């Protein structure tokens, strides 16, 4: 499927991965329908999309409101005539030990991350089944989708349930004979978005995102590729495949390593940090942005340079070195190579 002219609905489009995906789609000529709770940041994203050549429609929507999500789908069809791709990118986070997180906050997180995605899927699939085609892309996470981490029980629960939900959707679509509709689960590793800046915190230690991190633009490119050539699951980010494989081969050491790393890198030192609700109940507003300030781009460039240097070192160590021949290159030797035989 070509991106140009494609109609793409994106929830959570005011910030992070959703925002980067909107711009990436518009740059490739897609018509985008942008939904989020934050009105002004959403308008800024729409203006950015239009400058890059894509038509844009804006709707303020809380994904936990089923009627509002259904109205979003209806608005997209009314203006553009169809929905080719629906991207569920809205999400929130909470950090804190499971028994320290208020049940009210946990319930709100599950409403947004899981039931919000269910609402989007129901609205999108109703349109796509009438059309006979479409791609549903759910932004999950390596956390919950493949591995687990402490202090993030609610988030991990929501993303694990999301991965299972998508599996069920695929099975039901097959049984319904809807072969033109595809469901893709994108599983990013750490991403440089405002997620941690906007997350609720009940740890008492303060939050900071975990390096190394991928850029939102990298995830957005993976979403665009999935829209063109749908795949069931897409891993994105540094070490995503390596960590997934290691978790299967050596679950206990990896579990301990991830737990230690999370404790040291996700949470700040000491205690006394006040509890916050982040963006659980209020839109991000001025906190809406593509990046979270963890410099994912330079980190990615540094990792690539280090990987290239390591590859060169390995090749030099492994490949045999030719020793110079006293008679010159073997290719031109009188009794050896092609030139010798052709004389």
């Amino acid at each position: 499927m070509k991106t140009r002219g494609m109609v793409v609905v994106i929830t959570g489009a005011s910030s992070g991965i959703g925002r980067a995906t909107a711009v990436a789609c518009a740059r490739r000529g897609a018509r985008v329908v942008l939904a989020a709770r934050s009105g002004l940041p959403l308008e800024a994203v729409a203006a950015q999309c239009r400058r890059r050549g894509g038509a844009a429609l804006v709707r303020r929507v809380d994904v936990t409101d089923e009627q509002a999500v259904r109205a979003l789908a209806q608005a997209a069809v009314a203006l553009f005539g169809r929905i080719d791709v629906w991207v569920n990118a809205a999400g929130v986070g909470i950090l804190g030990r499971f028994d320290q997180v208020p049940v009210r906050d946990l319930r709100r997180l599950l409403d947004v991350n899981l039931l919000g995605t269910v609402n989007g899927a129901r609205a999108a699939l109703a349109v796509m089944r009438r059309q006979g085609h479409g791609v549903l892309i759910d932004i999950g996470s390596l956390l919950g989708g493949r591995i687990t981490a402490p202090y993030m029980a609610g988030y991990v629960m929501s993303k694990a349930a999301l991965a299972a939900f998508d599996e069920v959707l695929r099975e039901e679509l097959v049984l319904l004979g809807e072969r033109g509709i595809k469901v893709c689960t994108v599983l990013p590793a750490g991403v440089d978005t405002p997620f941690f800046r906007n997350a609720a915190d009940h740890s008492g230690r303060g939050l900071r995102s975990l390096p190394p991190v991928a850029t939102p633009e990298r995830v957005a490119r993976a979403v665009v590729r999935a829209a063109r050539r749908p795949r069931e699951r897409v891993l994105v980010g540094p070490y995503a495949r390596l960590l997934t494989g290691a978790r299967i081969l050596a679950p206990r050491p990896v579990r301990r390593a991830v737990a230690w790393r999370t404790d040291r890198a996700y949470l700040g030192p000491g205690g006394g940090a006040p509890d916050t609700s982040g963006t659980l109940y209020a839109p991000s507003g001025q906190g809406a942005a593509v990046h979270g300030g963890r410099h994912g781009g330079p980190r990615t460039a540094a990792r690539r340079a280090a990987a290239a240097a390591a590859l060169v070192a390995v090749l030099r160590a492994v490949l045999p070195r030719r020793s110079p021949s006293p008679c010159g290159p073997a290719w031109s030797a009188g009794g050896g190579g092609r030139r010798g035989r052709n004389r």
Side-chain angles (χ1 to χ4, degrees):
M1 183 185 295
K2 294 182 179 180
T3 311
R4 182 163 298 280
M6 185 185 291
V7 179
V8 184
V9 179
I10 306 166
T11 68
S14 65
S15 194
I17 293 172
R19 186 169 184 162
T21 298
V23 174
C25 290
R27 183 180 289 118
R28 292 163 176 80
R31 295 173 286 178
V32 294
V33 181
L34 311 177
R37 293 176 295 168
S38 299
L40 290 177
L42 206 57
E43 292 289 352
V45 178
Q48 194 176 3
C49 289
R50 294 179 186 120
R51 287 195 299 270
R52 282 159 175 75
L57 172 67
V58 169
R59 285 290 183 272
R60 290 189 64 179
V61 173
D62 185 331
V63 294
T64 64
D65 184 340
E66 183 180 3
Q67 297 298 327
V69 176
R70 188 178 296 118
L72 171 66
Q74 292 169 351
V77 173
L79 182 61
F80 295 124
R82 66 181 191 275
I83 298 173
D84 298 308
V85 180
W86 185 292
V87 182
N88 284 312
V92 292
I94 303 174
L95 269 83
R97 209 174 63 204
F98 88 97
D99 58 341
Q100 294 175 333
V101 174
V103 173
R104 176 174 177 263
D105 286 5
L106 176 60
R107 185 177 291 114
R108 174 63 181 175
L109 180 145
L110 294 174
D111 281 347
V112 175
N113 291 8
L114 182 56
L115 294 181
T117 298
V118 170
N119 290 338
R122 288 169 69 93
L125 293 179
V127 175
M128 292 175 182
R129 289 193 65 195
R130 292 197 298 268
Q131 298 171 169
H133 75 275
V135 182
L136 175 67
I137 301 176
D138 289 335
I139 306 299
S141 174
L142 200 66
L143 287 177
R146 286 292 183 270
I147 63 173
T148 58
Y151 309 124
M152 300 187 71
Y155 185 81
V156 170
M157 286 163 56
S158 69
K159 296 304 182 180
L162 173 60
F165 171 67
D166 283 354
E167 290 286 355
V168 172
L169 281 185
R170 294 183 192 104
E171 293 168 358
E172 291 185 354
L173 289 170
V174 169
L175 293 174
L176 289 170
E178 300 286 358
R179 301 188 181 280
I181 302 175
K182 305 299 181 183
V183 178
C184 178
T185 312
V186 176
L187 303 171
V191 185
D192 181 22
T193 70
F195 176 86
F196 284 88
R197 193 167 66 215
N198 295 334
D201 181 14
H202 295 285
S203 69
R205 294 170 56 183
L207 306 182
R208 56 191 183 193
S209 59
L210 178 66
V213 290
T215 63
E217 290 83 2
R218 180 173 178 176
V219 183
R221 290 193 294 271
V223 172
V224 171
R225 288 194 296 270
R228 290 173 171 170
R229 295 179 294 277
R231 295 164 50 195
E232 291 187 356
R233 284 166 296 278
V234 179
L235 297 175
V236 187
Y239 314 128
R241 290 178 179 81
L242 177 62
L243 188 56
T244 299
R247 177 68 173 79
I248 295 171
L249 295 174
R252 289 184 179 179
V254 170
R255 189 183 301 119
R256 288 195 296 267
V258 171
W260 182 89
R261 182 72 166 154
T262 303
D263 183 64
R264 299 299 180 92
Y266 270 64
L267 304 178
D275 285 359
T276 65
S277 59
T279 57
L280 285 177
Y281 305 101
S284 54
Q286 296 300 320
V290 176
H291 302 104
R294 296 298 294 179
H295 310 296
R299 289 175 185 273
T300 297
R303 285 194 301 272
R304 289 175 177 171
L311 178 61
V312 170
V314 169
L315 291 176
R316 285 178 175 174
V318 172
L319 294 180
R321 295 183 179 181
R322 290 184 178 181
S323 57
S325 168
C327 299
W331 191 257
S332 58
R338 292 181 181 176
R339 288 178 60 185
R341 286 195 298 270
N342 290 337
R343 287 179 177 175

